[in-house]
Amino acid sequence: MRLTEFWRRMYEHFGETYAESFASDHVMSELGGRTVQQALDAGWEAKDVWRVVCETQGVSALLR
């Protein structure tokens, strides 16, 4: 998954304003105690981060 697709899905699920706030502020144990942005910056694959977001945040099946 490309980062552009990752962010498109984030914006669609959370809304444009909250998606970036969630990604930079919400620490997730499933990401090793990192935020979404920290995980991406640390080299996690966007598809793996997206799977964690889907599993923990109730993302609709249409966006998975």
Side-chain angles (χ1 to χ4, degrees):
M1 167 185 286
R2 293 178 185 249
L3 276 176
T4 54
E5 179 64 16
F6 172 83
W7 284 109
R8 184 193 68 75
R9 292 180 188 194
M10 286 285 288
Y11 295 146
E12 192 167 336
H13 179 70
F14 291 105
E16 288 195 31
T17 302
Y18 187 63
E20 293 182 24
S21 176
F22 177 86
S24 64
D25 297 335
H26 187 79
V27 176
M28 303 177 75
S29 61
E30 298 84 357
L31 296 175
R34 295 176 178 91
T35 65
V36 166
Q37 191 60 58
Q38 288 170 332
L40 292 170
D41 291 345
W44 282 54
E45 294 290 329
K47 67 179 178 174
D48 297 329
V49 175
W50 181 244
R51 284 185 189 134
V52 170
V53 172
C54 289
E55 292 170 5
T56 61
Q57 302 303 309
V59 175
S60 76
L62 295 173
L63 292 175
R64 289 181 180 222

